[in-house]
Amino acid sequence: MNHPHGLRLENSYTDLPEQFFTRINPTPVSEPKLLLFNTNLAKSLGIDLPTNDKEMLAQLFSGNTLPEDVSPIAQAYAGHQFGHFSILGDGRAHLIGEQITPDDKRFDIQLKGSGPTPYSRNGDGRAALAPMLREYLISEAMHALKIPTTRSLALVSTGEPVIRSSLLDGAILTRVASSHLRVGTFEYANATQGLEGLKQLADYAISRHYPEFIHQENPYLGFLKGVIERQAKLVAAWMHVGFIHGVMNTDNMTISGETIDYGPCAFMDIFSMGAVFSSIDSHGRYKYGSQVPAAQWNLARLADSLIPLLHKETAKAVKLAEVAIEGYSKEFNHAWISGMRSKLGLFGEEAEDFSLAQGLLDWMQNSKVDYTRTFRDLIQENVPENEAYNSPEFQNWHILWKSRLTRNSRPLKDSFCLMRDSNPVIIPNNNYVEEALAAGEGGDLKPFLALLEALKNPFEETVSNEVYRNQTTLPNPNYQTFCGT
């Protein structure tokens, strides 16, 4: 269907059996108010809404009014949450439809915090303002960092409180994704829908995200390997910028290879393989250094779910799945060392590059230095004078690195250009994020908007990000983030 403002919404997901979703409209809210609208994202989607009509936008992105002939759904899925299997679903989200862009790409448009569904499990279906501000900010920062991610199109306050540990302002986020197909969607299909339902879901996912495998002899094995490759590259990209997802449950891992669900996430300041900021991850299951095996564990659950499709003989299907999962480590290691070579300005490949990169991280861990700043300091002709850089451990590593740079096939200036393009000058620093969210909760969005603007060009030193680059506040060693429920 066509809409005068470029909203070309379809819903191919409803071609699947009805057990995969429930048709349900958002629950209206009393006083929606538009807080944020992502005009650049809207333009890229081919959406041309009148930005001066705040009332219309508030009604639309709260779900109070819907485009003609739209039939929203809540998706069913399952998931291993901190290792425990549960049947889940969109408990506070409504998929409005799939926007077809001018170049015929397809993106889900979903409202988050838009009211209860049959999958709410006694929840109120709502979201608080601060967690939605966090998702808007971090998802847009990840996009600017060139990391595959869902994005944020709009944020609306509801004018209604939500009850958590206290009364909080309610909000609804409009999330854009290549799709909301998750590892947990396949777990759900395998557990509840039988072989035919599982096959229909897999065929849909392949057609939508991996059409190159449709005509392969074993398209389902190709699909599994494709998801493994994308997820290995995604987690490597997280590691390169010090991002910690915080809640890597299988229902929070997409088939498309996009980062999704920015709950208790954070960017690392002082480097530590054991860094964990999530208040609900008391045992460090998803700490920084565990994200790599956690992703492989999740992918193994996808492989388990696909067993009936991989081969008619179960033993052979299991073997195919095991070999595919074993390939994850190779995919991750290749993506990781490729990114680290870029961060260190290395051209070509040498066998010792891995130990050189790991040696720097080992020194960072022992010296408790800032992860992002250290890489930027290396770009300078002479690293800044401080106790950590004057240590024998760093000096020895620095000599090895300088020696490796001399063996590059390109001039030294090219190495530093590569490093500038690969190492952000700014990430969403925890102190500034919390300040922006607190001000936003209090009704002042200026600090949020300033930080959002500063994060748009993370690899360049700009006027808007200067104040955030010269931070003087020491990291809080007890910093915690909380799940955005």
Side-chain angles (χ1 to χ4, degrees):
M1 81 193 74
N2 289 310
H3 187 276
H5 299 301
L7 280 169
R8 299 171 59 205
L9 293 172
E10 298 180 359
N11 206 333
S12 62
Y13 196 79
T14 57
D15 293 337
L16 292 170
E18 61 183 16
Q19 290 86 354
F20 281 100
F21 60 89
T22 298
R23 295 186 188 274
I24 184 169
N25 283 346
T27 302
V29 296
S30 59
E31 297 181 52
K33 179 183 177 183
L34 183 73
L35 300 180
L36 300 165
F37 181 64
N38 193 334
T39 53
N40 288 335
L41 176 56
K43 184 178 180 180
S44 72
L45 294 169
I47 297 173
D48 184 24
L49 292 165
T51 54
N52 60 335
D53 192 344
K54 300 288 196 287
E55 176 62 25
M56 185 274 284
L57 294 177
Q59 293 294 328
L60 176 64
F61 291 116
S62 65
N64 277 10
T65 61
L66 297 170
E68 186 180 353
D69 296 330
V70 161
S71 180
I73 63 171
Q75 293 178 322
Y77 49 85
H80 276 86
Q81 299 190 305
F82 288 88
H84 302 286
F85 183 76
S86 300
I87 299 294
L88 304 164
D90 289 330
R92 56 172 180 157
H94 295 75
L95 179 61
I96 301 304
E98 300 150 12
Q99 168 72 5
I100 312 302
T101 67
D103 56 355
D104 284 328
K105 293 181 179 178
R106 184 179 297 266
F107 291 90
D108 281 4
I109 307 292
Q110 184 198 68
L111 301 183
K112 185 174 179 180
S114 45
T117 76
Y119 315 112
S120 295
R121 297 188 297 172
N122 298 319
D124 60 11
R126 294 303 185 186
L129 176 58
M132 297 303 96
L133 283 169
R134 181 187 296 277
E135 176 155 349
Y136 194 110
L137 182 75
I138 305 299
S139 63
E140 288 304 296
M142 290 287 271
H143 172 72
L145 287 164
K146 305 172 188 175
I147 296 175
T149 179
T150 61
R151 296 189 64 189
S152 299
L153 179 60
L155 183 66
V156 172
S157 61
T158 63
E160 300 174 357
V162 294
I163 303 172
R164 298 297 182 257
S165 57
S166 60
L167 282 180
L168 301 171
D169 291 335
I172 297 172
L173 178 79
T174 303
R175 181 162 69 187
V176 175
S178 292
S179 84
H180 285 82
L181 289 169
R182 310 157 188 262
V183 169
T185 315
F186 284 82
E187 291 185 287
Y188 172 82
N190 185 48
T192 67
Q193 300 305 304
L195 179 60
E196 184 57 31
L198 177 64
K199 183 178 183 301
Q200 287 177 280
L201 177 65
D203 289 344
Y204 175 77
I206 292 170
S207 176
R208 185 160 177 178
H209 292 298
Y210 298 88
E212 65 271 25
F213 298 129
I214 289 176
H215 299 298
Q216 281 194 359
E217 182 180 353
N218 191 336
Y220 308 112
L221 181 59
F223 168 65
L224 175 60
K225 290 180 177 179
V227 177
I228 289 170
E229 180 182 354
R230 287 193 193 179
Q231 283 294 335
K233 290 178 177 178
L234 177 66
V235 176
W238 292 356
M239 302 298 278
H240 291 146
V241 297
F243 176 74
I244 304 168
H245 185 282
V247 60
M248 289 177 65
N249 296 329
T250 57
D251 53 297
N252 294 337
M253 176 178 274
T254 63
I255 297 306
S256 64
E258 291 177 316
T259 314
I260 193 172
D261 286 335
Y262 293 91
C265 62
F267 282 76
M268 185 164 55
D269 34 49
I270 301 303
F271 181 80
S272 171
M273 292 297 289
V276 55
F277 298 115
S278 169
S279 64
I280 60 174
D281 193 5
S282 55
H283 298 291
R285 179 182 176 90
Y286 300 134
K287 64 188 178 186
Y288 175 75
S290 291
Q291 294 186 126
V292 182
Q296 186 175 34
W297 191 92
N298 288 352
L299 291 164
R301 306 291 73 75
L302 175 63
D304 290 344
S305 301
L306 292 172
I307 290 294
L309 299 177
L310 295 179
H311 200 282
K312 62 183 179 181
E313 295 181 27
T314 301
K316 291 184 177 180
V318 169
K319 185 60 179 176
L320 289 172
E322 288 176 343
V323 172
I325 292 299
E326 287 170 1
Y328 167 84
S329 295
K330 181 180 179 180
E331 293 285 357
F332 173 81
N333 287 337
H334 176 73
W336 184 81
I337 193 56
S338 295
M340 292 304 290
R341 285 191 177 106
S342 295
K343 289 177 74 67
L344 291 171
L346 308 181
F347 293 100
E349 299 179 8
E350 291 189 7
E352 289 73 28
D353 289 347
F354 187 93
S355 61
L356 181 70
Q358 189 59 52
L360 177 63
L361 298 185
D362 290 343
W363 169 79
M364 284 190 191
Q365 172 104 11
N366 293 332
S367 301
K368 297 181 173 57
V369 296
D370 185 277
Y371 179 74
T372 302
R373 185 175 296 176
T374 297
F375 282 103
R376 293 299 302 189
D377 285 348
L378 289 175
I379 300 172
Q380 302 181 37
E381 187 170 342
N382 297 302
V383 294
E385 282 289 328
N386 67 44
E387 185 177 347
Y389 293 144
N390 289 334
S391 69
E393 293 82 5
F394 178 80
Q395 292 294 324
N396 290 337
W397 178 87
H398 199 252
I399 290 170
L400 292 174
W401 176 58
K402 286 287 191 180
S403 176
R404 172 64 176 85
L405 289 176
T406 65
R407 298 193 296 276
N408 272 342
S409 57
R410 306 269 288 271
L412 188 59
K413 66 176 183 179
D414 289 356
S415 292
F416 288 144
C417 283
L418 178 61
M419 292 177 73
R420 290 189 187 94
D421 290 342
S422 307
N423 293 299
V425 299
I426 177 177
I427 46 95
N429 175 275
N430 297 329
N431 292 329
Y432 292 126
V433 169
E434 293 305 323
E435 288 176 3
L437 298 189
E441 277 190 301
D444 180 10
L445 282 175
K446 288 181 181 178
F448 180 93
L449 293 170
L451 181 56
L452 182 67
E453 180 65 28
L455 292 165
K456 285 182 178 179
N457 296 294
F459 299 99
E460 300 176 19
E461 295 184 353
T462 65
V463 173
S464 64
N465 68 33
E466 182 177 8
V467 64
Y468 304 102
R469 287 185 275 116
N470 300 320
Q471 55 171 307
T472 56
T473 306
L474 293 176
N476 176 5
N478 302 312
Y479 177 68
Q480 282 193 320
T481 56
F482 299 88
C483 191
T485 53

